[in-house]
Amino acid sequence: MQKFSAFSLARQAMGRHLGWRPQWRSVVPKPSYDIIIVGGGGHGLGAAYYLAKQHGLCNIAVVERGWLAGGNTARNTTIIRSNYLFEQSSSYYEHALKLWEGLSEELNYNVMFSQRGCLMVAHTVHDVQVFKRHVYANRLNGIDNEWLTPEETKAFCPPLNISPNIRYPVLGAALQRRAGTARHDAVAWGFARAASDLGVDIIENCEVTGIDRDPSGKVTGVQTTRGPIRAGKIGVSAAGHSSVVLAMAGIRLPLQVNPLQALVSEPVKPAFPCVVMSNTIHAYISQSDKGEMVIGAGTDSYVSYTQRGGLHIPAHTLEAICELVPDFRRLRMLRSWGGITDNTPDRSPITAKTSVPGLYVNCGWGTGGFKATPGAANLFAWTIARDEPHPINAPFTIERFRDGTLIDEAAAAAVAH
């Protein structure tokens, strides 16, 4: 792997940048591996990296049915935070946030992690009560979060409209200063590059069509569009399609898949200093490094695997954004897109062993998958390598839906962004 530094950049510039090599190897699938990871997004690539880096397991293949990171990794709005209500959730996301803080250095790849802060804006008395509850719970768990008055909110984010005359006036906000954003493509590329350098095979355009098992029920490999591949362990990290893959092994997951839309404006000079989220009006906004305003909304209400949604959803979101940040009313929207969210009944993820020996799953992240990327990958790798969960992800089993030990972040926050 070529190391990136100021010196290597200068050296390549002198050679017209013709000396850069491909960032990861292009390989033909081998007949067998020790471990197969299904899903070539941030979680899958990261799990392969941590399996090789921390557990010394390098005979690994990551199989992706399309192109690398072409699913939800490339279709989210890149918000990173850890201020969830329940201790189980906040511990998981805080683990991820701490890994984010050193990820660029570890991967020798700039993931453009920017800790610009995240404001969760309150518009009603209920919002104020809920967010103050979050602040107190986070502080008890050692996670930074603070309450701001409307005037303090305006000082932290000057473009916000705090007039009492708008439809949903700003009554205050919860602020996590360590929260922020990162570049989604860079995260996937960084993990792919580092994993490939450790010997992991990354196989694109390789769709899994079946899971093979021996008479005892243990997995023995997968059937793919590029032929059968044997493996002793299989980790599935395929977002909304995880339920489709696990159904091949006879496992039914408690997942509901809904489209989620986002859009960006034309690029402008730096004008928005942080991330702002509003659960009440189902809108959130930040500014990318390219200058675009990145805007997201709530999920469409229907169940679908389509990567598009109803026009009324972004229209409602833009109405709210224009009222909350009136300076942006004349901005033109550049493009919109959709992704699919894999939602569990309690809006918390599953990172666990399954009832099938040798089969593991990491899914159910809903709208929170990107922010958890390094943490989920790290703990999924632990679970696969040791055949047992790490204490942090131990509560996030499939069996909790049978036993009633839910981690209900949907009820806690009204929306799971």
Side-chain angles (χ1 to χ4, degrees):
M1 182 173 68
Q2 289 175 297
K3 296 292 183 183
F4 291 130
S5 67
F7 298 108
S8 66
L9 186 62
R11 186 167 56 251
Q12 292 294 338
M14 294 175 65
R16 299 182 182 180
H17 293 287
L18 300 177
W20 296 113
R21 297 194 296 270
Q23 295 196 53
W24 54 85
R25 297 173 293 111
S26 179
V27 300
V28 174
K30 295 190 296 189
S32 66
Y33 294 90
D34 295 333
I35 301 171
I36 292 174
I37 302 293
V38 181
H43 287 217
L45 293 165
Y49 166 74
Y50 287 117
L51 280 165
K53 178 73 172 180
Q54 297 183 346
H55 302 281
L57 302 170
C58 299
N59 187 25
I60 301 170
V62 177
V63 295
E64 165 58 45
R65 73 170 187 166
W67 65 92
L68 186 147
N72 283 1
T73 298
R75 293 174 176 272
N76 66 86
T77 51
T78 73
I79 296 172
I80 296 166
R81 62 185 180 88
S82 65
N83 54 345
Y84 281 69
L85 177 63
F86 294 113
E87 183 179 3
Q88 300 96 317
S89 302
S90 61
S91 296
Y92 205 145
Y93 286 102
E94 181 66 12
H95 177 64
L97 182 52
K98 288 178 179 177
L99 290 173
W100 275 114
E101 291 172 332
L103 194 60
S104 292
E105 184 176 357
E106 174 165 344
L107 300 180
N108 184 232
Y109 203 92
N110 184 9
V111 301
M112 302 182 188
F113 179 49
S114 170
Q115 290 180 290
R116 61 188 68 180
C118 178
L119 282 171
M120 302 189 72
V121 181
H123 301 280
T124 65
V125 172
H126 179 260
D127 284 349
V128 173
Q129 293 170 339
V130 167
F131 290 148
K132 285 187 175 181
R133 182 186 179 204
H134 275 70
V135 169
Y136 302 146
N138 290 158
R139 288 181 174 180
L140 284 172
N141 291 323
I143 294 169
D144 65 304
N145 202 354
E146 59 190 276
W147 178 254
L148 303 184
T149 64
E151 292 73 24
E152 291 170 331
T153 303
K154 175 78 171 178
F156 189 81
C157 186
L160 277 185
N161 180 10
I162 63 169
S163 167
N165 301 320
I166 61 176
R167 180 177 49 158
Y168 288 106
V170 175
L171 303 183
L175 169 63
Q176 185 175 33
R177 295 181 184 272
R178 292 169 54 241
T181 62
R183 177 68 183 173
H184 44 68
D185 294 328
V187 175
W189 297 338
F191 273 129
R193 178 173 173 268
S196 179
D197 186 56
L198 292 170
V200 173
D201 285 356
I202 299 170
I203 307 165
E204 299 175 83
N205 301 307
C206 183
E207 182 176 359
V208 172
T209 58
I211 295 177
D212 298 328
R213 300 164 68 183
D214 65 16
S216 70
K218 187 180 186 303
V219 298
T220 58
V222 295
Q223 296 292 324
T224 77
T225 52
R226 298 182 64 174
I229 307 173
R230 297 190 304 275
K233 292 183 176 182
I234 300 170
V236 179
S237 192
H241 290 89
S242 296
S243 55
V244 177
V245 177
L246 262 69
M248 301 172 188
I251 295 176
R252 186 180 179 187
L253 288 175
L255 291 183
Q256 176 176 298
V257 177
N258 299 83
L260 178 67
Q261 298 181 73
L263 60 162
V264 295
S265 73
E266 59 185 328
V268 295
K269 291 182 179 181
F272 206 72
C274 62
V275 178
V276 169
M277 303 177 61
S278 170
N279 291 352
T280 297
I281 60 176
H282 283 265
Y284 47 104
I285 181 171
S286 64
Q287 187 170 17
S288 74
D289 292 325
K290 293 191 294 183
E292 302 162 331
M293 296 299 164
V294 183
I295 299 168
T299 55
D300 285 78
S301 58
Y302 58 87
V303 176
S304 174
Y305 282 94
T306 60
Q307 293 177 324
R308 60 185 183 272
L311 182 60
H312 66 287
I313 298 291
H316 169 75
T317 298
L318 290 176
E319 290 172 0
I321 292 293
C322 288
E323 189 172 52
L324 199 59
V325 193
D327 291 349
F328 295 164
R329 286 178 176 173
R330 295 182 63 120
L331 277 179
R332 291 172 293 183
M333 293 299 106
L334 188 64
R335 65 184 184 277
S336 65
W337 66 92
I340 57 173
T341 62
D342 47 328
N343 305 296
T344 62
D346 64 358
R347 296 303 190 269
S348 291
I350 299 167
T351 306
K353 297 168 56 177
T354 71
S355 57
V356 174
L359 185 60
Y360 309 83
V361 65
N362 173 47
C363 66
W365 286 97
T367 59
F370 181 76
K371 64 176 68 70
T373 298
N378 179 265
L379 298 176
F380 195 37
W382 174 292
T383 303
I384 295 171
R386 303 195 179 203
D387 196 39
E388 64 179 11
H390 187 280
I392 293 176
N393 69 293
F396 295 89
T397 65
I398 302 173
E399 290 74 24
R400 75 177 187 268
F401 301 103
R402 177 198 65 197
D403 302 336
T405 54
L406 304 182
I407 308 164
D408 202 343
E409 288 293 342
V415 64
H417 293 312

